[in-house]
Each structure stands twice: as structure tokens, then as C-alpha cells.
Amino acid sequence: SQLTPFKNSLDDTERKEAWIAEGKWYKEKQKDIDAIYDSLVHLRDTMAKKMGYENYIPMGYYRMKRNCYNEEDVKKFREAVVKYLVPIAEKVYQRQAERLGKSYPMSYADNQLQFRSGNPKPLGDADAIVAHAKKFYDELSPETSEFFRVMLEGELMDLLSREGKRSGGYCSGLKEFKVPFIFANFNGTSGDVDVITHECGHAFQGYLSGKDPIIEHRDITMETAETHSMSMEFFTEPWMGLFFGARSPDYVDM
């Protein structure tokens, strides 16, 4: 996660070198990663056959609580994505290439730079981001205000990036305490604000449903989960000026 600011660098050479450095690390570990992946595939195949399935696909669908549609339905969905969404995404990337003065399609490194002036970054540090988040959650609704105060008072967010910490960010839960928990890696990029909106969208859903006495009702499918997280991003757009100042429209446009 600490490499991310360099992968988003305004300097074309530095940005590309950062991506090459990350790729080199994966290439050096390729043999080990491939072996782990291969063992996991065989393990899941064995699990499924012990349960009486032909392979892991139907078992995987049930484990993900996909009990009302199958791989044929998903195939149709993928085809619809290719037909309807890919052309829209292509137009977005073409517009980005024009802004940057790059030819389309862009390289993997150029894809990460949204504006020639650089990607918008939060104006303050981690404490400022949390303080701004508290302000807009207080103003958004009584329910979100209560939720975020519980997150703060319970120390239910591990936000700062540090050496040796797992990369990425996600929302989990402490079911015995009926509260959500947010894991993140703040690194001075716009992704820090994504955490405080997107992951808090997941957490807010977990907070509201966490009181259900039936544990299975507290959890939701992966497909449904993104409805809550993306909705929170849209709900909080009016407060983005707190984080990005004059560049808040650029952040929203990303």
C-alpha cells in the first residue's frame, strides 16, 4: 500500500518504474504464488467431490449464497457487461487519455493517472480525514452519526499503513460484539477518502443489521454489499470539499 503514491505519481517515469518494481516482485514470487493457487484449486475440487458435486462451481455458488441463480445466469450477465458496459468504460478511458495527452489505449501505468495536474489528494492528514468524516456523518442523519461515533469510541478502525501490514482495505465484523470493523491502509492518496465513505457504507449496513439475533441475517451477499458502499459514496459527495477543496469536482469525476 505504501507503493501506491508512486504508482499514481504525476511523473511519468516514476509512475512506470513503480509499476515495474511491483511487477518484478510478483515475478520473483511467481513460482510460489502459482503453487499456492494450484493447491487451492485441487483442495476445493476435492471438497466439492466429497460433498457429491461434479466440481467446485455449484458448491462455490452455494457458499457465496447464490441459491437462486447459476453459472448460466452469470454467463448471460457477463455477456450483457461486454455489450452494454464495456463501451461506456471505453469512452471514459478515451476521455482520460485526451486529458493526459496520451494515445488510446493507454499503458497500465498511465491508466492510474486521472489528470495531468495529478490525481486529487486529501488536504489533511489521517486525523483530519477522520474529523471531516465525523462532521458529515453527524450532518447526514442521526443514524449515521450514532454509527460513526460507535466506530470511533470502540476503536473499530485500523486505518494507517505501516511496514509489514497486510495491503488493501475492507470491512469485516466482530459478530460476538455485533459491530463492524474497518481495516485500511491510509497512504496520502484519494483512496483514504474512499475508505471513509465506501468501507463505511459496508460498515453502516453491518452496524444496522448486526443487532439481528439470527447471525445469517447479519451477513449479505457480495453482490448486494456493493449497493451499500457505493451508495454511501454518492450520499457523501456534497461534503467532498472538506477533503479536496477546489479539486473536489475532480475527485467526484474519478
Side-chain angles (χ1 to χ4, degrees):
S1 293
Q2 293 175 329
L3 186 63
T4 301
F6 300 98
K7 291 164 62 181
N8 295 342
S9 172
L10 178 59
D11 184 272
D12 289 354
T13 301
E14 183 177 63
R15 189 172 64 254
K16 185 174 181 179
E17 288 178 350
W19 279 93
I20 291 173
E22 182 182 67
K24 182 180 178 182
W25 185 91
Y26 279 106
K27 198 67 180 175
E28 291 171 349
K29 302 291 188 295
Q30 180 176 353
K31 186 175 180 180
D32 294 334
I33 294 172
D34 286 351
I36 293 170
Y37 185 82
D38 184 65
S39 66
L40 290 174
V41 170
H42 282 87
L43 173 62
R44 281 159 173 71
D45 185 62
T46 302
M47 289 165 54
K49 288 176 179 175
K50 281 187 176 181
M51 294 291 290
Y53 298 103
E54 180 180 357
N55 55 47
Y56 184 72
I57 293 175
M59 182 179 175
Y61 271 65
Y62 288 135
R63 290 188 69 190
M64 295 181 73
K65 302 179 182 178
R66 295 176 174 176
N67 54 16
C68 57
Y69 62 97
N70 58 29
E71 55 266 37
E72 285 301 314
D73 297 310
V74 173
K75 179 182 178 182
K76 294 177 183 177
F77 179 78
R78 288 199 303 267
E79 291 171 349
V81 169
V82 171
K83 182 177 180 180
Y84 299 107
L85 297 184
V86 170
I88 296 174
E90 187 174 35
K91 290 180 181 179
V92 171
Y93 278 108
Q94 287 173 340
R95 187 176 66 176
Q96 179 185 348
E98 292 174 4
R99 286 201 307 263
L100 298 178
K102 298 285 185 177
S103 59
Y104 179 84
M106 295 180 292
S107 73
Y108 54 87
D110 291 336
N111 278 338
Q112 304 305 309
L113 186 65
Q114 297 290 329
F115 302 94
R116 182 40 73 187
S117 57
N119 294 349
K121 298 178 181 179
L123 299 177
D125 59 11
D127 289 338
I129 290 174
V130 172
H132 293 328
K134 182 178 180 299
K135 173 178 172 60
F136 74 64
Y137 280 122
D138 280 343
E139 295 177 358
L140 187 60
S141 73
E143 293 83 1
T144 54
S145 177
E146 175 188 300
F147 147 73
F148 201 69
R149 288 173 183 272
V150 169
M151 297 295 289
L152 292 175
E153 294 169 5
E155 298 182 358
L156 297 170
M157 296 185 289
D158 181 4
L159 299 176
L160 299 181
S161 180
R162 53 186 179 271
E163 187 174 352
K165 184 179 179 181
R166 174 178 173 171
S167 62
Y170 57 86
C171 175
S172 185
L174 305 175
K175 292 183 178 179
E176 62 270 34
F177 298 104
K178 301 180 181 179
V179 293
F181 183 85
I182 292 176
F183 178 97
N185 277 275
F186 276 18
N187 51 24
T189 68
S190 61
D192 299 351
V193 180
D194 295 343
V195 168
I196 220 69
T197 57
H198 184 101
E199 299 305 331
C200 278
H202 290 306
F204 183 52
Q205 173 271 314
Y207 177 74
L208 294 179
S209 62
K211 301 175 178 60
D212 196 304
I214 301 176
I215 292 180
E216 287 78 10
H217 288 179
R218 302 179 198 169
D219 202 4
I220 54 178
T221 63
M222 184 183 298
E223 296 85 352
T224 306
E226 296 312 309
T227 302
H228 306 96
S229 56
M230 293 304 300
S231 294
M232 190 62 80
E233 290 191 41
F234 294 132
F235 290 154
T236 55
E237 278 185 8
W239 288 272
M240 288 304 103
L242 294 171
F243 302 96
F244 299 102
R247 296 209 63 191
S248 59
D250 290 343
Y251 172 75
V252 172
D253 190 56
M254 290 170 60

